[in-house]
Amino acid sequence: MAQLNIYLNRLEHNLNFLKSISPDKNSLIGVVKANAYGHGIIEISKKLVSMGVSRLSVASVSEGKLLRENDINCNIIVYYPDPFELNDIINYSLEPAIYSKRILKKLIKLLDKSKRDFSVHLKFNTGLNRLGFKFEDIEWVIKKIDKARLRVLSVYSHLSASEDKKNNLNTKKQLKIFNEIKSKFYDLNSEIKYHLLNSSGIFNYPEHQYDWVRSGISLYGYSNNSDWDKNLLPVAELKTKIIQIHNVKKGESVGYNNGWIAKKKSKIAIIPIGHADGIGRYFKNRNVTVKINQLKAPIIGNICMDIFMIDVSHIQCKEWDEVVIFDQKNPANIFAESAGTISYEILSSLGNRIKRVYIS
Ligand SMILES: *Cc1c(COP(=O)(O)O)cnc(C)c1O
């Protein structure tokens, strides 16, 4: 019964805003991994392509395959390819991000028998200490790609604290290393593109946009900064309905493991969405509220797999009344933060039982 309404005109608004502050209109990589942050990878990708985005990016080979199987023919970067799925990278004409010596060697071995001039992106670790080649690997990498005649489309890295504009000591260090990496590759081939910034970086470090930017959460309406949020529109609204109302006496418990005890006579409403849909157990917290008839109702007791309960003692409501989990006025980042998590997690966790409805 839960429904995610997805307003494609807001996606368009966000894209236009992001383009207006990006290096040029073709520089934006649309990040559609994790089912387009829960918004539906096929529909969102088609919309982005129709609005002129020429390169999308996903995390896994399976996501790239899914796009190809749905006739999405633009360039697709796979950020975290599984080394054992490189055959599909080749077969589906996906562009892998190559992040280690092992995966580069493996790709070259596979390509030896088939293609030359295969397009790749090179990922460098400049300080996040997640994936990527080290600075010291450059000479080795250059030799390898030269010999195998791979085509390097871009060289990139990822900031560890792009949300943080003030404490940017580490960012400065990362920028310095990235610039050194760039100068090494620039001598090799001046066509290569460079990119460093995700959504927060686009806003906080406009002077370091290089050739491309990688826009994920901001396309969906969130910037991780309340000032920048004003320029964006949350694309999705999650709504459901009360399916039952109970009156409980003082002292009665609600939900598994007596998760909530009524301090007084109370009215509770049963909401058909649970941790299997992406509302994690940690949303059990007096501070987490949803809205009914414009009024806040706190989540009570433990979240169940398919259901959670709310206290509606103070609200005039009846069964089948609408429940707003998040919408434009009560955005997903605020809902997420009230339970100690972030917009990225709540959005990307939204399960496939939730019906997606696209509104143009
Ligand atoms: C997911 C991802 C992004 C997008 O980050 P946002 O903060 O959502 O804009 C950018 N770059 C890489 C490598 C990613 O994996």
Side-chain angles (χ1 to χ4, degrees), residues 31 33 37 57-59 79-80 123 130 156-158 162-163 197-200 202 214-218 220 224 344:
V31 184
K33 65 189 180 187
Y37 293 48
S57 60
V58 293
Y79 286 138
Y80 312 109
K123 169 76 177 279
R130 200 168 62 179
Y156 75 102
S157 188
H158 201 68
S162 64
E163 293 175 28
L197 303 181
N198 66 341
S199 294
S200 293
I202 299 171
R214 305 186 297 270
S215 183
I217 197 80
S218 50
Y220 309 103
N224 306 317
Y344 295 81

XYZ file of all heavy atoms in Angstrom, residues 31 33 37 57-59 79-80 123 130 156-158 162-163 197-200 202 214-218 220 224 344, ligand 1:
251
model
N 24.385 9.948 -11.607
C 24.618 8.738 -10.818
C 23.278 8.054 -10.538
O 22.408 8.629 -9.887
C 25.354 9.063 -9.496
C 25.672 7.780 -8.740
C 26.633 9.847 -9.769
N 23.118 4.625 -9.529
C 23.316 3.362 -8.795
C 22.218 3.193 -7.745
O 21.467 4.139 -7.457
C 24.689 3.383 -8.130
C 24.835 4.454 -7.049
C 26.281 4.576 -6.582
C 26.408 5.643 -5.518
N 27.812 5.900 -5.177
N 19.036 5.671 -6.358
C 18.797 6.080 -4.973
C 17.339 5.793 -4.599
O 16.666 6.589 -3.935
C 19.127 7.551 -4.765
C 20.601 7.908 -4.901
C 21.346 7.466 -5.979
C 21.242 8.700 -3.961
C 22.684 7.791 -6.106
C 22.583 9.032 -4.087
C 23.300 8.574 -5.158
O 24.639 8.900 -5.290
N 26.158 6.598 -14.399
C 27.070 5.725 -13.670
C 26.307 4.881 -12.670
O 25.298 5.311 -12.115
C 28.158 6.535 -12.974
O 27.576 7.427 -12.058
N 26.819 3.663 -12.499
C 26.217 2.700 -11.583
C 27.343 2.107 -10.734
O 28.521 2.342 -11.007
C 25.497 1.571 -12.361
C 24.292 2.116 -13.112
C 26.439 0.861 -13.328
N 26.964 1.361 -9.704
C 27.978 0.747 -8.851
C 28.399 -0.612 -9.401
O 29.576 -0.927 -9.461
C 27.448 0.605 -7.427
N 31.293 1.901 -11.367
C 32.291 2.358 -10.395
C 33.008 1.225 -9.667
O 34.172 1.331 -9.335
C 31.622 3.234 -9.328
C 31.230 4.620 -9.802
C 30.001 5.174 -9.438
C 32.102 5.384 -10.571
C 29.640 6.453 -9.847
C 31.745 6.657 -10.987
C 30.519 7.191 -10.621
O 30.166 8.439 -11.023
N 32.272 0.156 -9.358
C 32.865 -0.894 -8.516
C 32.695 -2.260 -9.161
O 32.038 -3.139 -8.616
C 32.222 -0.865 -7.121
C 32.163 0.549 -6.547
C 30.957 1.237 -6.429
C 33.341 1.194 -6.193
C 30.930 2.556 -5.948
C 33.322 2.505 -5.710
C 32.115 3.166 -5.598
O 32.099 4.454 -5.131
N 40.620 4.980 -11.474
C 40.279 5.538 -10.167
C 41.514 5.574 -9.277
O 42.154 4.551 -9.065
C 39.194 4.645 -9.542
C 38.886 4.913 -8.074
C 38.052 6.165 -7.914
C 37.639 6.444 -6.487
N 36.498 5.678 -6.039
N 39.655 4.399 0.233
C 38.672 3.390 -0.142
C 39.271 2.708 -1.364
O 40.362 2.189 -1.281
C 37.317 4.082 -0.397
C 36.145 3.158 -0.317
C 34.813 3.903 -0.288
N 34.574 4.683 -1.500
C 33.469 5.410 -1.720
N 32.525 5.456 -0.797
N 33.299 6.091 -2.828
N 40.016 9.778 -12.229
C 39.246 10.450 -11.182
C 39.624 9.985 -9.794
O 40.327 9.008 -9.596
C 37.746 10.300 -11.431
C 37.152 8.939 -11.120
C 36.427 8.745 -9.942
C 37.285 7.878 -11.991
C 35.847 7.522 -9.651
C 36.716 6.645 -11.704
C 36.001 6.472 -10.535
O 35.428 5.264 -10.243
N 39.127 10.752 -8.826
C 39.304 10.401 -7.423
C 38.070 10.886 -6.668
O 37.123 11.403 -7.282
C 40.590 11.034 -6.876
O 40.848 10.531 -5.580
N 38.058 10.683 -5.370
C 36.864 11.013 -4.581
C 37.321 11.692 -3.294
O 38.216 11.191 -2.621
C 36.127 9.708 -4.278
C 34.682 9.866 -3.930
N 33.732 10.273 -4.845
C 34.014 9.659 -2.774
C 32.537 10.303 -4.258
N 32.684 9.943 -3.002
N 33.906 16.121 1.236
C 33.399 17.175 0.362
C 32.264 17.964 1.016
O 31.947 19.070 0.611
C 32.910 16.575 -0.957
O 31.818 15.721 -0.739
N 31.646 17.383 2.061
C 30.558 18.087 2.749
C 31.090 19.182 3.651
O 30.342 20.035 4.110
C 29.743 17.097 3.600
C 28.995 16.105 2.751
C 28.282 15.036 3.573
O 27.905 15.308 4.724
O 28.114 13.935 3.040
N 34.538 15.548 -8.010
C 33.466 15.999 -7.113
C 32.173 15.204 -7.216
O 31.666 14.956 -8.312
C 33.158 17.478 -7.389
C 34.334 18.443 -7.267
C 33.867 19.866 -7.536
C 34.993 18.347 -5.902
N 31.621 14.877 -6.059
C 30.252 14.368 -5.955
C 29.347 15.575 -5.660
O 29.791 16.730 -5.748
C 30.160 13.309 -4.847
C 30.398 13.902 -3.470
O 30.964 14.980 -3.332
N 29.950 13.221 -2.454
N 28.099 15.317 -5.287
C 27.153 16.427 -5.105
C 27.680 17.512 -4.162
O 27.710 18.694 -4.519
C 25.826 15.909 -4.543
O 25.208 15.074 -5.489
N 28.083 17.117 -2.968
C 28.535 18.137 -2.004
C 29.725 18.902 -2.534
O 29.853 20.105 -2.307
C 28.910 17.491 -0.673
O 27.771 16.977 -0.070
N 30.338 19.597 -5.625
C 29.900 20.550 -6.652
C 29.531 21.875 -5.989
O 29.830 22.959 -6.491
C 28.687 19.997 -7.444
C 29.066 18.693 -8.154
C 28.170 21.024 -8.457
C 27.876 17.960 -8.781
N 30.217 14.398 -10.729
C 29.398 13.193 -10.540
C 28.248 13.516 -9.586
O 28.438 13.675 -8.405
C 30.260 12.060 -9.964
C 31.495 11.767 -10.794
C 32.240 10.539 -10.281
N 32.765 10.664 -8.934
C 33.967 11.134 -8.622
N 34.795 11.525 -9.571
N 34.348 11.200 -7.378
N 27.083 13.608 -10.170
C 25.965 14.089 -9.378
C 24.995 12.958 -9.048
O 24.369 12.383 -9.926
C 25.259 15.171 -10.187
O 24.230 15.690 -9.425
N 24.893 12.648 -7.750
C 23.970 11.614 -7.306
C 22.837 12.231 -6.503
O 21.830 12.683 -7.059
N 23.029 12.328 -5.206
C 21.949 12.742 -4.302
C 21.330 14.090 -4.700
O 20.131 14.305 -4.504
C 22.473 12.777 -2.828
C 21.326 12.793 -1.816
C 23.410 13.949 -2.572
C 20.698 11.457 -1.550
N 22.127 14.976 -5.281
C 21.593 16.301 -5.633
C 20.553 16.215 -6.747
O 19.618 17.019 -6.791
C 22.728 17.244 -6.038
O 23.562 16.626 -6.996
N 18.381 14.042 -6.911
C 17.155 13.607 -6.248
C 16.650 14.651 -5.252
O 15.642 14.445 -4.587
C 17.382 12.234 -5.593
C 17.981 11.283 -6.604
C 19.339 10.960 -6.601
C 17.195 10.796 -7.642
C 19.891 10.156 -7.585
C 17.743 9.989 -8.635
C 19.086 9.676 -8.599
O 19.628 8.894 -9.590
N 22.973 17.888 1.218
C 23.695 17.745 2.495
C 24.008 19.098 3.114
O 24.909 19.205 3.946
C 25.000 16.949 2.329
C 24.778 15.603 1.680
O 23.823 14.907 2.018
N 25.632 15.243 0.736
N 20.717 9.395 1.973
C 21.210 8.337 1.089
C 20.679 6.968 1.540
O 20.278 6.150 0.724
C 22.738 8.250 1.143
C 23.506 9.425 0.635
C 23.705 10.557 1.419
C 24.096 9.386 -0.618
C 24.453 11.624 0.955
C 24.854 10.440 -1.089
C 25.030 11.567 -0.297
O 25.772 12.613 -0.756
C 27.833 7.322 -5.436
C 28.978 8.041 -5.989
C 28.874 9.410 -6.323
C 27.637 10.234 -6.037
O 27.725 10.839 -4.784
P 26.598 11.877 -4.318
O 27.083 12.341 -2.990
O 25.331 11.099 -4.220
O 26.523 12.922 -5.342
C 29.968 10.017 -6.911
N 31.108 9.326 -7.154
C 31.242 8.019 -6.838
C 32.524 7.340 -7.163
C 30.192 7.335 -6.251
O 30.331 6.042 -5.945
